[in-house]
Amino acid sequence: MTELNKVNALVQYAAQIGDNGLIIGHRMSEWCFRAPSIEMEMALMNCALDLIGQARELYSYAGKAGGEGKKEDDFAYLRDEQDFRNLLLAEVPNGDWGDTIVRLFFMSAYNKLFFTALAKSTDAELAAIGAKSLKEVTYHLRFSSEWLIRLGDGTEESHRRAQKSVDDLWAYTGELFTMTDAENLLLEDGISVDVTALKAGWDELVSQILDQATLSVPANNWAQSGSKSEGRHTEHFGYIITDMQYMQRRYPGCEW
Amino acid sequence: MYGDTSIQKPIKIAEPTSAEQARLEEIFQQKIDDDIKIEPQEWMPAAYRKTLVRQMSQHAHSEVIGMQPEGNWLTRAPTLRRKVILLAKIQDEGGHGLYIYSAAETLGTSRAEMIEQLQNGKAKYSSIFNYPALTWADMGTIGWLVDGAAITNQVALSRGSYGPYSRAMIRICKEESFHQRQGYELLLTLSKGTKEQKEMLQESVNRFWWPSLMMFGPNDANSPHSAQSMKWKIKKKSNDQLRQEFIDATVPQAEFLGITLPDPDLKWNEERGHYDYGAIDWEEFGNVINGNGPCNKQRIANHIKAHEDGAWVREAAAAYAEKQQKKQVA
Amino acid sequence: MTKQTTEKEWPLWEVFIRSKAGLDHKHCGSVHASDAEIALESARDVYTRRSEGISIWVVPSNAITASKPEDKESLFEPADDKIYRHPTFYDIPKGAGKM
């Protein structure tokens, strides 16, 4: 393994933020022709386009920062499973509409705080990406919060389902606030975001919406982790990559 | 005092007497002949309304079902650029379905009713979407040929007599102009690629050429509703006219791609100033329309599943809205 | 056959969009939504994908009162012969300056 320096740490960092966008965007795109109404389908696809768009910018920047001429597609299509460092929360399957909304809500609440902080990064390019992404995720947060409130405070069935989604996905939220070695290294120069400092704000935001949705905050705080720090994914992740990389792996080196 | 007149619901007028009916029909036809658009609340012959609802709901269903073959490749798009283009295009199709449902609803048929008719087989959609999307090249071919055929049709529809439909079509044509271009660009890339890519391109066009020509519907001689629809300017051009326009525009594009179109009879006719083309297999068309296409069952099953899986979500939002309303009243 | 036969469809909302500062909101279509907030979000997601708007109104379709087509003659035609309401009706000599 190559030793961590400020260059490869920056590459890792930009790519890792991009991975979150790509993988959750990929998951949302799986809703194509499966949403409860056309209007909702349109909304999810807008979110997916925002998130994949963020990934593209971050991968391009990672390629530039690395100085090896890597392009966005090299990151998405030619890395192996363990090289992806997205949060586990981004990769778990869509489940039902409740699971999808809760995932988007947890993620967007985090993204809102994260991109607010990234917009103040000492790295001008990351700061610019942060500022742009912030606008997008602010809408995702609004959309997912409003839906969570309706599911939680809708019918008995929707309340039960939404609470189950919250409980099931809760274990993946702990990883959001963990720091990798690269993040710690970049933090010294004010490039990365100290995500441990985002936890209090996230807890507050989440409990406020859950409360409005008449849902309760789970008591079990055991956190699943391993993807962000070591590339240890869920069993589901391999299938995402298999699907996504099929063309590039089957026909190497082609233009598309 | 006029609060009962929703802009979305036709006003119920007492059944006119036959003399009155004849007079209304005359005024109506005069408006059509003068190219004055018909708007939702205005008097229109029952058959005009029925024809429009049938056509618009079919059109909207085609957009929505059309998301499925392309959706099949969304997670496998070979580059991120292609992935976002495809996603945006499929999203447009959902949007276009919605615009047309909206326009159809102005005639007093709800979207729920239209969707029910789609799911129980009473309403049809374009036969082309019952063919499978099997390779990445199909994403290009669908854009080039299928959207190309659809645009040919829709440009004519945007000049139709019913205001809301015509307005929806104008918006749709504007948005769709990128659909065909992205498809052709995708195919151009394949045409400059490896042997395998070129083969993938040719194979895809071979599969989609004839079904694309069928999209314009039966020959004029076998199109029973056409004459009336033309008189009402619901249709501005006949099926065969539009098909010919499409072929004339497409053949040079195929040549530019360096591919062949799978029709030995396809050749330029100097005298007519058009391309001649071979006989279309109408038996296949009839089969696919009537449920025997490769994907009919799968498409409808997917639609029903999404609809049923979403029922609890729609109910939840409705229940929430009701609770909020009660709170406001209290 | 499916649940929809018993399910009550979400109400219809008309969507009006201001395309840029200084212009009126203009009707552009409709969406189905359970309440105003969802209607607003749906309108945004459906009708402003190509930067078509900077402001949206959504109005329940059944809250709109419309004039009746059969009243068209009595409501609107009386205005047609009041040509003195238009500036071009008056002859002002050029010498009088811009007016």
Side-chain angles (χ1 to χ4, degrees):
Chain A
M1 209 168 151
T2 43
E3 205 183 320
L4 202 61
N5 59 44
K6 290 202 172 161
V7 172
N8 63 28
L10 181 58
V11 174
Q12 237 185 67
Y13 187 56
Q16 162 218 318
I17 308 168
D19 290 343
N20 283 329
L22 178 64
I23 299 304
I24 192 173
H26 183 98
R27 282 299 191 204
M28 308 220 84
S29 76
E30 289 175 352
W31 271 98
C32 178
F33 68 77
R34 294 180 176 88
S37 78
I38 310 175
E39 285 88 344
M40 288 144 93
E41 179 124 14
M42 303 288 289
L44 283 191
M45 289 186 163
N46 275 337
C47 292
L49 284 169
D50 288 341
L51 291 160
I52 297 172
Q54 290 169 11
R56 293 182 68 190
E57 289 188 44
L58 286 153
Y59 288 156
S60 296
Y61 181 50
K64 202 172 116 185
E68 291 169 350
K70 282 195 180 162
K71 300 272 184 267
E72 55 177 33
D73 288 335
D74 294 317
F75 287 89
Y77 294 98
L78 299 175
R79 283 183 305 160
D80 291 329
E81 216 175 312
Q82 292 81 1
D83 299 332
F84 283 81
R85 297 298 167 91
N86 57 280
L87 295 156
L88 290 169
L89 182 62
E91 72 186 52
V92 289
N94 283 331
D96 68 8
W97 180 258
D99 296 324
T100 291
I101 287 297
V102 169
R103 180 234 304 272
L104 184 64
F105 169 66
F106 284 164
M107 200 74 206
S108 305
Y110 171 82
N111 276 342
K112 169 135 196 207
L113 300 167
F114 177 80
F115 285 123
T116 303
L118 191 69
K120 298 186 195 109
S121 168
T122 53
D123 182 300
E125 297 225 26
L126 286 180
I129 293 172
K132 179 179 173 284
S133 305
L134 178 60
K135 293 175 195 159
E136 296 165 344
V137 301
T138 300
Y139 180 72
H140 304 173
L141 178 60
R142 173 176 174 166
F143 171 77
S144 56
S145 301
E146 292 292 346
W147 266 106
L148 187 53
I149 291 167
R150 278 154 190 76
L151 297 183
D153 195 14
T155 61
E156 265 177 50
E157 181 185 4
S158 71
H159 179 86
R160 181 175 50 73
R161 282 180 183 248
Q163 185 65 58
K164 185 174 184 313
S165 305
V166 169
D167 294 346
D168 288 351
L169 291 170
W170 191 253
Y172 298 106
T173 60
E175 193 186 23
L176 273 54
F177 310 102
T178 57
M179 293 287 282
T180 63
D181 295 342
E183 283 175 307
N184 281 322
L185 183 67
L186 296 172
L187 190 57
E188 292 169 10
D189 297 334
I191 292 171
S192 64
V193 173
D194 178 6
V195 294
T196 59
L198 304 180
K199 174 112 172 62
W202 188 87
D203 281 341
E204 198 188 316
L205 192 55
V206 166
S207 62
Q208 189 200 328
I209 298 294
L210 286 182
D211 188 52
Q212 239 182 301
T214 70
L215 297 166
S216 46
V217 176
N220 181 358
N221 278 322
W222 172 254
Q224 301 291 351
S225 62
S227 171
K228 184 181 168 182
S229 56
E230 296 167 56
R232 206 158 16 84
H233 292 271
T234 62
E235 285 185 348
H236 313 289
F237 189 72
Y239 293 95
I240 296 183
I241 294 300
T242 305
D243 238 12
M244 187 159 67
Q245 298 184 339
Y246 156 67
M247 291 292 291
Q248 290 277 356
R249 300 291 191 183
R250 166 66 183 77
Y251 305 96
C254 291
E255 291 287 320
W256 297 101
Chain B
M1 141 166 79
Y2 291 115
D4 59 334
T5 59
S6 154
I7 58 164
Q8 292 288 354
K9 286 204 183 96
I11 299 170
K12 288 225 166 67
I13 315 172
E15 277 302 309
T17 63
S18 57
E20 176 70 359
Q21 174 89 16
R23 192 184 69 85
L24 288 170
E25 272 179 32
E26 202 178 308
I27 297 172
F28 177 81
Q29 190 60 47
Q30 193 57 54
K31 273 200 233 171
I32 302 262
D33 295 343
D34 293 346
D35 278 331
I36 297 172
K37 300 278 182 204
I38 307 301
E39 292 297 340
Q41 290 179 303
E42 295 170 9
W43 187 90
M44 58 187 84
Y48 176 84
R49 184 186 302 277
K50 201 176 146 197
T51 306
L52 266 175
V53 170
R54 193 190 61 214
Q55 184 175 326
M56 288 163 82
S57 75
Q58 274 186 22
H59 193 166
H61 297 330
S62 302
E63 296 281 353
V64 169
I65 295 294
M67 298 167 84
Q68 291 190 29
E70 290 173 295
N72 189 36
W73 279 87
L74 209 38
T75 57
R76 288 178 290 174
T79 70
L80 293 178
R81 176 174 175 270
R82 289 289 173 207
K83 197 191 270 293
V84 291
I85 291 172
L86 186 59
L87 192 48
K89 175 181 189 283
I90 299 174
Q91 187 195 37
D92 270 354
E93 279 149 17
H96 297 169
L98 200 146
Y99 303 162
I100 306 168
Y101 282 131
S102 280
E105 282 181 285
T106 63
L107 291 167
T109 304
S110 70
R111 195 198 296 177
E113 286 171 76
M114 290 185 266
I115 286 180
E116 189 169 351
Q117 286 175 354
L118 169 68
Q119 294 184 349
N120 68 23
K122 276 190 196 139
K124 303 276 189 257
Y125 54 88
S126 182
S127 58
I128 192 83
F129 301 115
N130 289 318
Y131 291 89
L134 301 175
T135 68
W136 173 251
D138 290 359
M139 296 302 99
T141 310
I142 289 174
W144 176 44
L145 294 180
V146 177
D147 287 276
I151 291 165
T152 308
N153 216 350
Q154 286 171 172
V155 167
L157 290 172
S158 69
R159 293 191 286 267
S161 60
Y162 187 57
Y165 194 25
S166 147
R167 289 193 288 277
M169 277 304 122
I170 291 170
R171 193 184 176 102
I172 288 172
C173 286
K174 227 195 268 175
E175 294 191 356
E176 282 206 348
S177 54
F178 101 81
H179 292 189
Q180 194 185 15
R181 291 171 70 105
Q182 66 82 33
Y184 195 69
E185 185 210 67
L186 191 162
L187 298 181
L188 264 179
T189 311
L190 297 182
S191 75
K192 293 176 199 147
T194 62
K195 185 167 168 281
E196 270 185 316
Q197 284 178 301
K198 287 176 191 159
E199 282 166 4
M200 192 190 283
L201 159 64
Q202 182 66 58
E203 187 274 337
S204 171
V205 171
N206 289 350
R207 269 184 293 117
F208 274 96
W209 174 250
W210 289 108
S212 302
L213 296 189
M214 294 175 195
M215 284 176 71
F216 296 96
N219 288 131
D220 293 351
N222 299 316
S223 184
H225 303 295
S226 276
Q228 184 61 64
S229 287
M230 299 272 275
K231 192 175 165 220
W232 279 333
K233 295 189 183 166
I234 291 175
K235 264 178 119 153
K236 299 276 281 192
K237 289 180 181 171
S238 79
N239 295 354
D240 286 333
Q241 253 177 315
L242 290 165
R243 189 165 16 240
Q244 186 72 60
E245 266 180 39
F246 171 71
I247 292 170
D248 291 347
T250 308
V251 175
Q253 294 165 357
E255 284 165 9
F256 192 78
L257 279 174
I259 52 165
T260 55
L261 293 169
D263 178 0
D265 298 325
L266 189 70
K267 58 176 176 292
W268 180 251
N269 182 324
E270 195 64 51
E271 206 175 306
R272 291 204 307 129
H274 291 294
Y275 283 93
D276 289 336
Y277 55 96
I280 291 171
D281 182 353
W282 292 114
E283 197 187 330
E284 175 181 325
F285 176 74
N287 257 310
V288 175
I289 278 282
N290 291 317
N292 291 330
C295 300
N296 297 55
K297 290 191 175 65
Q298 171 191 339
R299 301 285 187 245
I300 293 301
N302 282 341
H303 196 278
I304 291 173
K305 181 168 187 328
H307 195 79
E308 287 179 350
D309 286 352
W312 71 275
V313 178
R314 296 189 299 271
E315 280 160 19
Y320 174 82
E322 206 173 311
K323 280 188 212 172
Q324 293 304 107
Q325 256 170 3
K326 274 187 193 149
K327 270 189 207 163
Q328 270 188 348
V329 172
Chain C
M1 183 185 81
T2 50
K3 275 195 178 178
Q4 74 219 358
T5 37
T6 53
E7 185 184 323
K8 205 168 151 243
E9 197 175 22
W10 285 351
L12 198 60
W13 302 71
E14 298 304 318
V15 179
F16 300 81
I17 290 185
R18 186 201 295 288
S19 57
K20 61 179 188 187
L23 296 182
D24 291 320
H25 285 77
K26 197 177 152 200
H27 183 250
C28 68
S30 60
V31 291
H32 281 280
S34 54
D35 59 54
E37 168 67 20
I38 299 291
L40 199 59
E41 290 179 7
S42 295
R44 179 263 184 194
D45 283 318
V46 173
Y47 291 104
T48 66
R49 307 197 309 286
R50 287 177 170 80
S51 311
E52 292 97 333
I54 55 159
S55 164
I56 302 175
W57 291 346
V58 289
V59 182
S61 302
N62 64 16
I64 290 179
T65 305
S67 64
K68 296 183 178 179
E70 63 267 36
D71 293 342
K72 200 167 75 186
E73 290 174 14
S74 66
L75 288 179
F76 309 114
E77 283 184 20
D80 290 352
D81 67 351
K82 314 291 194 294
I83 48 176
Y84 42 81
R85 286 191 170 117
H86 301 281
T88 46
F89 180 71
Y90 303 93
D91 285 328
I92 303 288
K94 269 205 179 112
K98 205 173 178 226
M99 197 177 285

